[in-house]
Amino acid sequence: MAAEQGNRPDLGQVQFLTVAEVAAMMRVSKMTVYRLVHSGELPAARVGRSFRVPREAVQDYLRNAYHDAG
């Protein structure tokens, strides 16, 4: 089974956040998070009519979006 997963994380270990939680963490509006999800910049899983975003994906996005102002 582990060979089938390749580099994918164990889903039992993934922490998922709601759009509202991501927005609060990033200090942006929920609409901004929805735009990031729909554009594919922020990966998310659809659960019914809602989206759940892996915490690691938010941290990766912020790490890659960071620009040194100095």
Side-chain angles (χ1 to χ4, degrees):
M1 177 97 90
E4 293 174 13
Q5 289 183 350
N7 292 333
R8 289 182 165 182
D10 179 13
L11 290 179
Q13 302 300 318
V14 177
Q15 279 189 310
F16 288 97
L17 303 172
T18 65
V19 169
E21 290 170 330
V22 174
M25 180 184 285
M26 294 175 67
R27 298 189 190 274
V28 297
S29 71
K30 290 191 297 185
M31 185 55 64
T32 298
V33 177
Y34 281 118
R35 285 188 194 114
L36 291 171
V37 168
H38 287 295
S39 72
E41 293 182 67
L42 193 59
R46 189 165 197 134
V47 180
R49 294 179 54 181
S50 303
F51 288 99
R52 295 296 183 267
V53 181
R55 179 182 297 274
E56 185 70 25
V58 176
Q59 293 168 342
D60 289 345
Y61 178 84
L62 291 173
R63 236 181 260 117
N64 292 332
Y66 177 76
H67 295 284
D68 189 11

